[in-house]
Amino acid sequence: MEAQNEDNPGYDIINTTIINISENHDVSSIDNNTVKLLTTLFDETLDAKNKISELQNKYGLPLTKELEMEVTEMCTYATSMENKGIEKGLRALVNSLKVYIKDFDSLYEAIIKNEDYANVSKEQVRKYY
């Protein structure tokens, strides 16, 4: 039975649980299997195929094709959002630097010194130059 709000019985009280996922995805010191499983599920360093494999093999989760598709979609969406953030940051970085660095090659060299943009191509940078 769900708890009812006595002040206004027209709606239920919502219970929320916050789980802190390890930022470095190290679950070796964690005893709780639910937290370990969620850490794997939300690990942005794993692709969908590896997540599905770990969820099935390491945690014994019987994933249906529908659940596998949902994990894959979640990974695709997360990657898409990350790429949008990188593009937005790159655009801002190029716009900021081109005020001070007029030569494109010098600007490109300055950008790839930033570890977040170390792998961007000259074409990507030229888009915003």
Side-chain angles (χ1 to χ4, degrees), residues 16-112:
T16 304
T17 302
I18 297 174
I19 299 173
N20 291 320
I21 304 295
S22 168
E23 192 170 316
N24 62 2
H25 311 293
D26 179 19
V27 294
S28 61
S29 63
I30 298 172
D31 294 329
N32 187 308
N33 281 336
T34 302
V35 174
K36 286 181 180 181
L37 183 143
L38 290 171
T39 300
T40 298
L41 184 61
F42 294 111
D43 183 345
E44 71 278 357
T45 64
L46 291 176
D47 63 11
K49 183 179 178 181
N50 287 324
K51 281 184 188 186
I52 290 167
S53 175
E54 279 202 35
L55 292 173
Q56 289 174 326
N57 300 327
K58 197 171 184 180
Y59 300 103
L61 233 76
L63 295 180
T64 63
K65 290 293 178 195
E66 182 182 350
L67 284 174
E68 286 182 17
M69 284 178 31
E70 288 183 18
V71 170
T72 301
E73 285 177 22
M74 180 184 78
C75 291
T76 303
Y77 179 75
T79 300
S80 173
M81 291 298 102
E82 180 179 19
N83 289 340
K84 281 184 179 183
I86 289 170
E87 283 294 317
K88 188 174 182 178
L90 180 59
R91 182 181 330 116
L93 183 58
V94 169
N95 286 331
S96 296
L97 288 177
K98 72 181 182 183
V99 170
Y100 304 102
I101 305 172
K102 301 299 182 194
D103 176 61
F104 175 79
D105 289 325
S106 298
L107 181 130
Y108 177 72
E109 290 302 317
I111 287 174
I112 62 173

Side-chain angles (χ1 to χ4, degrees), residues 106-120:
S106 298
L107 181 130
Y108 177 72
E109 290 302 317
I111 287 174
I112 62 173
K113 285 181 183 176
N114 181 316
E115 68 182 51
D116 292 328
Y117 301 104
N119 297 319
V120 299

